[in-house]
Amino acid sequence: MWDDAFPSFLIGLREGLEAGLIVSILVATLVRAEARSRLPQVWTGVLAAIAVAMSFGAVLTFTAASMPQTAQEAFGGTLSVIAVAFVTAMVFWMRRSARNLSSELRQKVTGALAMGSGVLVLTSFLAVGREGLETALFLWTTAQAAGESAGPLTGAAIGLVLAAGLCWGLYRRVLKINLTKFFTATGVVLIVIAAGVLGYGLRDLQEGGVLPGRTAYAVDLAGSIDAGSWYSTLVQGVFNLMPTMTWLQVVAYVGYLVVVMTLFVRGVRATAPKPKPEPAERPATEAPAGPRPRTGRRPAWVIPAAVVAVPAVIAGLAVALGRPKPAGDQTVAVSETDCGKGFTAPAPGRQTFRMHNTGRQASEVYLVDPSTNAVYGEIEGLAPGTTRDLVATVAGGTYAWRCVPASGRAVTSKPVTVRGGGAAKPVTPVSEQDLAGPLKAYKAYVGHGLDTLVGQTGTLRRDIEGGHLDKARTDWLTAHRTYASLGAAYGTFEDFDKKIDGRADGLPGGEHDKDFTGFLRLEYGLWHGQSAKELTGPARQLDTDAAGLRKAFPRQDFDPGDLPLRAHEILENTLQFELTGDTDEGSGTNLATADANLTGTRELLTVLEPLLTSRSPRLLPTVDADIDRVRKLLDAAHDGDHWTPVEKLPAAGRQRLDGATGQLLEDLAPVPDLLEIRKSA
């Protein structure tokens, strides 16, 4: 957690020390002016500044949470850039003003004493408020970058507490700190951190579609750096440097760092303080005590309570007035005859609808645009008498509910019109007809692959029959990779898959069981010293089964809806079996099989490309980059025909491969939802 905490710790320490020094100077000035009775006014201004900063943070958090995902990224990126601007200005301001801060504040307090209590409250509020708003914005930005980590808040809390302790020590004269050197050193570190925040913010703006170049990578070290290692986590958390960065991020990071650091260092040299010691104590007559506070009937706590409560109330009103009317207050009825009862036009924004099935059948429920049938949200299999929440983002447009019971016709509710802005991304429904073309193309690919496979298993059989076991090992791998590249057809090969590529798991005799057949049976024998005579029977059986599959495949059913599922399932099996070494029967070639599975996945995505590109233009470029990363890692694990066994991979290399495959699976996860055949009748 420290990697996420350090930037916030530093900003909490520095900003806290700045604000604390300001408060200390204000208090010391009043004490020396024998105006202790005016101290509550200073604390009132300080409390008001803290309340405003906390309310500002709450409004930022709510505003982001109520936006769609892409809008959240654009909002967060914009605020990150603004936070960098504020932090940069703060660093330069403190470098320039540190030496004169004390005298400037004393002059302001002297004027405030003469003008009344309200001015003194305002003086302390403005002096501390700027630091508070800067701190709130920067902490919110770093918390967004850290995700669910508690590191930023923990680091900030530690920094603020330490800053308060240092200020108390300086005020009581029990500590001596060279503040010029302190603010210079922390300024250098903050400039480096701010460069990372700028890069992170620009990446968010690219993800949100505000800036171009989302897939134009200048740096892509995901294949050679373990993202989960302590050093990688530290660099990412502290400096916001990622293994994969776009050209815009890199140029902005380097440009900001070079320009701002150069100006800062030059400024430090140019404004080196001259030895001019300031007297420790000023005579009490330096600042007039001002008029004595007037006695009134108003309780002393009224003003402090008001200045603390007012920002909180304003923030609460902003949240309440800005919050869309919760659609969750609507209970929408679902049945075979009446769909959408109780549905009224919701406000734009992210909404939660409570769907209650009042009918006698389970039903599919869709929130749709009735003019295009585009789907904004769905619930599958809502059972009779049950209630489930459906979450969807609503923008200006027309909406209706469509209920499709398990048996019977679909029922569509009366449409409602939502007025307002915002953006909502529906899923364009896919029909069996839409998938007919990709299915035909993929079946042709599988058919061609099976033709190749039969030729290769025939060669393997002849190798073993002739006693050429060394050649058989090479030809075995070639044939097995061909079969593995047809992975999207799993489930359509019926019993042939178990015969051709079944495992020994669960068989009473294990590898020696008579029902253990196919590629893995031959692998076990070829790499465990079995003779050609022992392997001839399994080789002939494999050749026969491959030929039988080629003959049966054109007549086998292939559900079009299974095609998108395979995009994810092939590599799920790869991660579960190949990358764990679970299916290794002695050849140590699990990574070769994984590489073939990757080929099958890419072929499947190629035939699905037209449908995916029209529904999610950014998905395939991201997935292609992921596939390239995994392939680079696999290429590094073999030399010619020799593949490194999974168990002999270095621990860091294995972690990188698992991580890259996991990321690929995560990016492939939307494919089944995007291309799901949804019921409409």
Side-chain angles (χ1 to χ4, degrees), residues 52-175:
V52 168
M54 296 180 68
S55 300
F56 178 58
V59 171
L60 286 180
T61 302
F62 163 76
T63 303
S66 63
M67 292 179 174
Q69 184 63 35
T70 54
Q72 287 184 32
E73 291 166 348
F75 181 71
T78 301
L79 289 182
S80 295
V81 175
I82 293 173
V84 170
F86 277 147
V87 169
T88 306
M90 174 265 291
V91 167
F92 280 89
W93 176 81
M94 199 59 190
R95 184 208 67 195
R96 183 177 60 253
S97 305
R99 289 186 299 141
N100 301 319
L101 182 63
S102 179
S103 59
E104 289 178 3
L105 283 172
R106 287 193 182 101
Q107 292 175 7
K108 290 181 180 179
V109 172
T110 299
L113 284 171
M115 296 179 67
S117 60
V119 178
L120 188 57
V121 171
L122 183 63
T123 299
S124 59
F125 170 78
L126 293 177
V128 179
R130 195 192 75 155
E131 318 301 332
L133 291 176
E134 288 176 351
T135 303
L137 180 57
F138 195 84
L139 291 182
W140 186 87
T141 302
T142 54
Q144 290 294 108
E148 297 182 359
S149 170
L153 293 180
T154 303
I158 295 173
L160 290 171
V161 170
L162 181 57
L166 291 175
C167 288
W168 180 87
L170 290 170
Y171 179 78
R172 292 295 184 181
R173 303 182 186 279
V174 297
L175 284 177

Side-chain angles (χ1 to χ4, degrees), residues 460 463-464 468-477 526-527:
L460 176 60
D463 291 340
I464 292 176
H468 307 299
L469 298 188
D470 286 339
K471 186 174 184 301
R473 293 185 184 95
T474 300
D475 290 336
W476 173 90
L477 181 57
L526 287 169
W527 275 271

Side-chain angles (χ1 to χ4, degrees), residues 23 27 54 80 199 203 239 339 388 394 418 507 516 529 607 647:
V23 174
V27 171
M54 296 180 68
S80 295
R203 178 61 175 168
F239 302 110
C339 181
R388 286 164 60 186
V394 176
V418 175
L507 296 176
F516 183 36
V607 301
E647 65 273 10

